Amino acid sequence: MHDQHTLTARIAGLGTFLPEKILTNKDFERMVDTSDEWIMSRTGIRERHVVGPEESVATLAIEAGRRAMADADVSPEEVELLILATATVEQPIPSTSAIIQPALGVKNATCFDIAAACSGFLYGLHIARQFMVTGEVKTAMVIGAETLSRYTDYTDRATCILFGDGAGAVVLKPAPSGEGILRSALHTDGTYADFIQMPGGGSKYPPNVKEHIDARLPFIKMRGNETFKVAVRAITEVCQEVLVAADVRVEQVDLFIPHQANLRIISAVGDRLGIAPEKVYLNLERVGNTSSASIPLAMQEAIDRGVLKRGNLVLMGAFGGGLTWAATLLRW
Ligand code: UT7
C-alpha cells in the first residue's frame, strides 16, 4: 500500500531478455585481426548475444517489460511511469518508450527515454524513485535495453569485440525508508564527451548524407584506454559516495553488481573498494557489454543462480558515454 510515509522505492519485479543469436570470440577471429586469447585476457568476454533481422531494441524491451510485470504481479494498467534507458533508440522520433507502450499495455503510463549510455539503468532507477518519494507515482517501470550491434563497426577490432544486445526491466513500488533503494548518486562530465560517442546520425552529421556513412560516422567510437582509466576512478568514487551517505561499511555489502564493461575495470574497482572477489557478480563472459541492460541482466542471473537473496545489501555501479557514472545501494 502506498501511503504518505513512503520514502523510497523497491524493486517489486524483474524481467530480462537476450536475443538467441550468439557471436563468439572465434567468430571475431574470422572477422578482424584478433584472437580469443587477446579478447579473454583484455576484457573477460567470451560471447555476446546479438539481435536477428526481425528484432530491434523495442522487441527486446517489450519482452523484458512483460516479464517484469509478471514477476511483480502487476497489471499493465497499474503502471503510471515508464522510463526507458537506451543509447540505441528504435528511431529518433518518437521515443522508444512511446513506441513500446501499446505492446506493453501500459496505457496509463507517462513514457520517456533517457540517454545516459551505460549508466542509464541506474539513472532511470534514481529518477523513478523521485516520483515515488513525492507520492506522484505508485507503480513505475524502468527498462534498460540495447541493440549495440546495430551501431557497432565490425571493422574496428578495438570496439566490435566488446558489445552485446539485451534488455532488463524492473517494476518499482513505494517502500518505507530502510527498504529497497537506500541511496543513489549520479554524475556527468561532458568534457569527456568524445571518449565514447557515435558522431553520426544526429543533427551535426545527419544520417541522410552519404559522406557521413562513408566516413563511418554512425558507428560507436571509443578512446578505450583513456576511458578505462577514468572508469576505474569514477566507479570507485561514486560507490564510496553512496556507502558513506548511507552510513554503510563496505564489509556489510553482500553483493556488488557492477556494469559489465571489462573484467579488468571491475577487478580494479573491487580492489580499490575493498570488496572480496567472491562478492563481485560477473556475467560479462556470457553477454559482453550490453550498456544500459547490463546491470539488470546480471541481477537476473544472480537471482537464478541463487547468489542474490532476499534481504541482501546490494551495491551497483555503472559508467558510460557522457561521460556518466552512477551508483545505487539497495536492500533486495
Ligand atoms: O561501457 C562503458 C565504457 N566502456 C568501457 O569501459 C571500455 C573501456 N576500455 C576497455 O575496456 C579497454 O580499453 C579495451 C578492451 C577497449 C582495450 O584494452 P586496452 O588494454 O586498453 O588496449 P589498448 O587500446 O591500449 O590497445 C593495446 C593494443 C593496441 O595495439 P598496439 O597499438 O599496442 O600495437 C591495439 O591496437 O591492442 C590492440 N588491440 C587489439 N588486439 C587484438 C585492440 N583491440 C584488439 C583486438 N585484438 N580486438
Side-chain angles (χ1 to χ4, degrees), residues 171-330:
V171 170
L172 297 175
K173 286 282 202 180
S177 181
E179 293 177 19
I181 299 172
L182 304 180
R183 208 80 203 194
S184 50
L186 316 178
H187 293 283
T188 312
D189 188 345
T191 58
Y192 299 116
D194 64 344
F195 274 30
I196 307 168
Q197 61 168 333
M198 194 179 87
S203 174
K204 187 174 181 186
Y205 302 113
N208 48 1
V209 178
K210 186 177 174 299
E211 288 74 36
H212 298 163
I213 297 166
D214 292 346
R216 308 191 80 72
L217 296 183
F219 287 106
I220 299 165
K221 323 240 178 240
M222 186 166 67
R223 289 163 60 176
N225 202 267
E226 291 149 287
T227 302
F228 189 107
K229 289 171 191 152
V230 185
V232 172
R233 195 183 68 233
I235 305 171
T236 305
E237 285 176 3
V238 72
C239 285
Q240 285 164 341
E241 180 187 341
V242 297
L243 290 172
V244 168
D247 199 18
V248 164
R249 282 175 293 109
V250 73
E251 307 82 66
Q252 294 172 267
V253 172
D254 295 302
L255 195 63
F256 178 43
I257 305 184
H259 165 50
Q260 310 280 315
N262 183 312
L263 180 57
R264 290 184 297 137
I265 293 179
I266 296 171
S267 303
V269 170
D271 284 351
R272 282 166 198 226
L273 286 173
I275 293 184
E278 60 273 16
K279 287 185 175 180
V280 180
Y281 196 79
L282 296 170
N283 73 337
L284 84 169
E285 184 175 344
R286 295 174 287 284
V287 297
N289 179 348
T290 58
S291 192
S292 67
S294 128
I295 287 179
L297 282 170
M299 205 182 248
Q300 180 78 68
E301 229 198 63
I303 293 165
D304 294 345
R305 294 182 176 212
V307 178
L308 174 53
K309 301 180 204 78
R310 281 282 157 216
N312 277 175
L313 193 57
V314 185
L315 177 65
M316 303 179 282
F319 180 87
L323 295 174
T324 57
W325 58 103
T328 305
L329 183 70
L330 67 82

